[in-house]
């Protein structure tokens, strides 16, 4: 197996100021190629610790992916550490300088000396071009092992991974005939983890040396099947046998595979059918529309929506009856229903979804506690409403509301397929 | 300084299936007490690697906080590793058994042998009660250092941290008179990192042993000042001297402190002034409204908005003139201006913000490339429009649009203060 370790650099990670999403992303893409990612390490911007961790991880892996510490300010220590590690010196890299200059021209800004400095790189590295930022990546090879340093800004790291690192790993795996570890994800929605596990039964009866993980999120449970073999092809064959058995038992809840999500699955069906959708959002404040429009090309089936954070807005823009709000309240099946119908008609779409709830932390009562959410789904034939009682956390309640609204729409689309 | 390291155990972390939010939470709370958190390490459920990482982290820290691997299934390896590490054996812990039994009674479920096993703990540990789950935490003391093992389920880990670990760290810091490390964050918006660094100048001239970090995001650059001293009070005094100097040089870009963000800062001023805002979103599809309503109590100043993903919706719901769209296009200062004015009038708010742009990956032309975004800001007196050319990534373009829209509104609110 080709072993990859991750070394994330930065005080902001160590002291918990930001969550290390880069590590998860890098681990995920390396794993999907068949690498074994055994260790992540995060250290402060302290040259001594950085160097000793780099040394340690290199001793237990074939490749170390480093992120962070490449910015233009005094607290960016990665280049000095690499110079020390390889007993190297900086030289000007003309292509990188041109790239940095072009970025500044494109943005209509003047380049500073600080940014020019970023084009000076260790002489022993191969620069990895970064078209979305000012710090290039760097590749070092030492005793048949690899060290790659990338900026910590997520989209810059992703650009360098996608354009340089992942193709390189694929070449290495193909040439050196490592064993590979393959995974496949089955995406489910509309069923809790424990019920899904009961449906699938004892996995050891059919895994045949493979693995199965249950990974719940606010948008459903992801099932990850894993298998290790001498080639991706033979591993994938074993995986499809396992997949077949899972599909026989829980197929009706599986809506997709891979890295798709609910918004992508919904978009695909709406496009296929030539149908459209609009949204009416109260407690989610626009997040549902934001999630639907994550998908490129969503303008083909999403025309828009209304964020109605006040009762007046619900009445004025969605023609919800003041009497309905008066009698049943803004968080009620009656209001949810009129919101969904209202937006569907106003935007002249095939479907309208509404969300109204008490996200918290305030605004709850005994009858209508924080976490109560009503979702309305209006189609050409009928309008249905759905009640949920989530928890006490505002952020989680809003995210779960978006997940459930998408799940209900997907369910409806798959039914009428 | 009291040094804490984190050791997160689990394949799902290593292969990138889940993001390590536990590490950030633990690091953040330990840092806020004045501990120095220098390293996080994440390893697979493999006893050999787990043991050697535990050994290594213990050698460089005063306390190692471990999470994960304490569940009831075969792949949970933390207890065997700790037994091996301390050459210890399991004994039944009666109080823990009672606690587990009570949890099952409360949930109306029958306890299984698997769960009873969780009350068997290494004889050398002090059990740390867990009232929200079935696995107790474990505290080991060895040569004046501490190892604490907790479940990986976030709310169980947090229960044990809040009720046992954090009070213990406070006692240790007080009794043993460790130096503490304090931080303060200054939030800036509307200035790129490199220009901010130029304004502030060489930090070593005024840091006096403290630290200064630049932390850029799509919502501005966060400046983090750090200082280590014998007490939190004396460290904070030193920090305020550094803060003073930074404020003299870059004060006009500093809009807040601490863990606040743009949405919170905007909400505070709007509330103070009794003003309101509404949004008209095209390429952000609802994300701007979603961001404003992240803040509890935002209904005091946010009444809603319209997501106008099609030209027809812009005309119909915001009274943008069809002629304007025809002549200048949907992504133009003219359309942005009419959108912002339209939503302000329709929602009867003091301010209206609009966003219209080409998020990508498709839809760009030579004249109007992917990444072009126009933001309109309409107040009672005037409407302004602002042009941005971001990059090629859809997700980033949308996030930067939200960040800039919030920055422009904040700027306007601070000017008219």
């Amino acid at each position: 197996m080709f072993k990859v370790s991750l070394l994330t650099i930065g005080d902001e990670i160590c002291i918990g100021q930001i969550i290390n999403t880069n590590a998860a992303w890098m681990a995920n893409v390396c794993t999907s190629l068949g690498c074994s990612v055994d260790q992540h390490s995060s250290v402060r911007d302290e040259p001594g610790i950085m160097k000793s961790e780099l040394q340690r991880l290199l001793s237990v892996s074939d490749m170390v992916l480093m992120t962070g510490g490449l910015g233009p300010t005094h607290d960016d220590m990665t280049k000095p550490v690499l110079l020390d590690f390889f007993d190297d010196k900086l030289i000007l890299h003309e292509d990188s300088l041109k790239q940095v200059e072009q970025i500044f021209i494109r943005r209509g800004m003047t380049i500073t000396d600080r940014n020019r400095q970023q084009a000076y790189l260790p002489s022993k590295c191969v620069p990895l071009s970064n078209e979305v930022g000012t710090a290039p990546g760097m590749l070092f090879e030492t005793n048949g092992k690899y060290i790659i340093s990338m900026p910590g800004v997520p989209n810059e790291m992703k650009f360098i991974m996608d354009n340089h690192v992942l193709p390189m790993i694929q070449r290495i795996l193909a040439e050196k005939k490592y064993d590979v570890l393959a995974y496949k994800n089955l995406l489910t929605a509309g069923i809790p983890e424990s019920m899904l596990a009961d449906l699938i039964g004892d996995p050891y009866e059919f895994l045949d040396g493979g693995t199965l993980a249950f990974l719940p999120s606010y948008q459903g449970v992801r099932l990850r099947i894993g298998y290790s073999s001498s080639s991706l092809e033979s591993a994938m064959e074993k995986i499809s046998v396992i997949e077949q058995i899972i599909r026989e038992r829980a197929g009706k809840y599986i809506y997709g595979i891979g890295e798709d999500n609910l918004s992508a699955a919904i978009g695909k069906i709406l496009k296929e059918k030539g149908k459209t959708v609009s949204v009416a959002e109260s407690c989610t404040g626009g997040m549902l529309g934001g999630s639907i429009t994550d998908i490129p090309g969503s303008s083909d089936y999403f025309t828009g929506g209304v964020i109605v954070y006040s009762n007046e807005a619900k009445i004025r823009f969605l023609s919800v009856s003041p009497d309905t709000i008066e009698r049943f309240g803004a968080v009620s099946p009656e209001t949810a229903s009129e919101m969904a119908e209202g937006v569907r008609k106003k935007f002249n779409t095939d479907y309208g979804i509404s969300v109204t709830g008490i996200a918290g932390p305030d605004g709850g009562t005994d009858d209508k506690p924080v976490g109560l959410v009503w979702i309305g789904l209006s189609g050409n034939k009928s309008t249905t409403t759905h009640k949920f009682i989530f928890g006490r956390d505002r952020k989680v309640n809003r995210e779960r509301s978006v997940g459930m609204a998408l799940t209900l729409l997907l369910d409806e689309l798959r039914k009428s397929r």
Side-chain angles (χ1 to χ4, degrees), chain A:
Chain A
M1 296 267 242
F2 188 71
K3 293 194 175 197
V4 174
S5 293
L6 310 181
L7 177 54
T8 321
I9 290 151
D11 283 4
E12 65 279 14
I13 297 273
C14 277
I15 71 171
Q17 193 138 43
I18 63 167
I19 291 169
N20 195 349
T21 54
N22 276 354
W25 190 90
M26 291 190 289
N28 193 30
V29 292
C30 291
T31 299
S32 71
L33 292 184
C35 303
S36 174
V37 185
D38 293 350
Q39 297 203 32
H40 304 185
S41 180
S42 305
V43 298
R44 284 180 173 254
D45 303 290
E46 277 179 23
I49 301 179
M50 288 165 65
K51 190 178 168 188
S52 71
E53 268 301 271
L54 179 57
Q55 186 66 66
R56 182 182 73 83
L57 291 174
L58 195 63
S59 73
V60 295
S61 343
D62 300 297
M63 179 182 275
V64 180
L65 298 177
M66 303 172 70
T67 59
L70 290 181
T73 60
H74 71 283
D75 52 328
D76 291 300
M77 302 304 299
T78 298
K79 261 193 235 173
V81 165
L82 287 166
L83 289 176
D84 178 23
F85 193 86
F86 288 106
D87 189 21
D88 199 4
K89 59 180 194 301
L90 291 176
I91 58 168
L92 175 65
H93 188 253
E94 296 284 356
D95 286 353
S96 298
L97 183 60
K98 270 182 212 144
Q99 207 137 39
V100 172
E101 284 171 343
Q102 267 163 11
I103 283 177
F104 276 79
I105 289 167
R106 189 175 140 90
R107 292 185 187 163
M109 290 164 64
T110 320
I111 189 168
T112 67
D113 276 348
R114 257 178 217 283
N115 296 111
R116 269 200 202 92
Q117 284 299 327
Q118 296 190 280
Y120 283 81
L121 304 174
S123 75
K124 292 181 185 169
C125 85
V126 178
L128 305 176
S129 69
N130 171 4
E131 293 179 11
V132 293
T134 54
M138 296 178 281
L139 161 66
F140 297 86
E141 213 179 321
T142 172
N143 300 321
K145 295 185 171 196
Y146 306 90
I147 295 174
I148 290 163
S149 161
M150 293 171 281
V153 182
N155 72 315
E156 299 186 29
M157 174 279 288
K158 287 175 189 174
F159 180 90
I160 294 171
M161 287 290 290
D162 284 336
N163 290 282
H164 304 290
V165 182
L166 298 179
M168 178 181 155
I169 290 176
Q170 280 178 306
R171 271 199 311 276
I172 295 170
L173 290 179
E175 280 167 16
K176 300 200 177 167
K177 303 200 189 305
Y178 282 96
D179 259 13
V180 297
L181 186 56
Y183 290 104
K184 182 165 187 177
N185 290 302
L186 306 180
L187 311 175
T188 75
I191 182 169
E193 185 183 11
S194 55
M195 285 176 63
L196 186 61
D198 284 346
L199 266 191
I200 290 172
D202 182 0
Y204 290 110
E205 282 175 10
F206 59 82
L207 278 178
D208 188 23
T211 59
L212 177 66
F214 288 72
L215 304 149
S217 79
Y218 300 131
Q219 300 218 353
V221 180
R222 186 181 289 237
L223 293 171
R224 188 191 64 227
I225 309 167
Y227 213 95
S228 165
S229 184
S230 59
S231 75
L232 269 184
E233 290 68 33
S234 62
M236 289 313 292
E237 261 171 45
K238 287 287 196 178
I239 284 174
S240 60
V241 174
I242 299 168
E243 178 183 352
Q244 191 55 38
I245 293 164
I246 294 173
R247 282 190 182 272
E248 277 161 20
R249 297 176 184 183
K252 66 179 279 211
Y253 298 102
I254 298 171
Y255 71 83
I257 56 169
E259 296 305 317
D260 261 12
N261 59 22
L262 288 171
S263 293
I266 286 166
K268 212 180 279 174
I269 303 180
L270 285 170
K271 243 185 206 174
E272 223 175 83
K273 296 178 142 192
K275 302 280 186 189
T276 55
V277 66
S278 56
V279 298
E281 304 190 50
S282 184
C283 64
T284 45
M287 294 167 68
L288 178 58
S291 187
I292 292 173
T293 56
D294 272 343
I295 308 302
S298 45
S299 57
D300 288 354
Y301 50 84
F302 180 72
T303 49
V306 192
I307 306 167
V308 284
Y309 223 57
S310 66
N311 287 345
E312 202 199 321
K314 290 179 183 74
I315 294 163
R316 179 136 180 229
F317 298 100
L318 294 172
S319 305
V320 172
S321 139
D323 185 54
T324 301
I325 295 182
E326 174 82 17
R327 281 174 62 200
F328 306 105
V331 181
S332 64
E334 291 82 3
T335 300
S337 172
E338 291 187 24
M339 284 170 66
E341 280 170 20
V343 80
R344 184 172 66 79
K345 286 179 189 155
K346 295 265 175 184
F347 279 76
N348 193 24
T349 50
D350 298 295
Y351 296 95
I353 326 177
S354 67
V355 187
T356 178
I358 301 155
D362 303 317
T365 62
D366 282 351
D367 269 9
K368 296 187 176 180
V370 166
L372 173 67
V373 174
W374 279 95
I375 297 178
L377 174 57
S378 177
N380 290 319
K381 289 179 199 145
S382 65
T383 298
T384 54
T385 55
H386 309 262
K387 180 184 182 178
F388 300 92
I389 299 179
F390 300 129
R392 288 174 217 168
D393 186 272
R394 179 179 181 84
K395 196 173 147 64
V396 174
N397 288 338
R398 285 162 39 101
E399 284 177 10
R400 291 183 73 171
S401 298
V402 171
M404 282 315 310
L406 295 173
T407 302
L408 288 167
L409 176 59
L410 178 63
D411 216 44
E412 180 64 28
L413 291 171
R414 294 178 79 210
K415 258 192 259 167
S416 59
R417 209 167 189 172

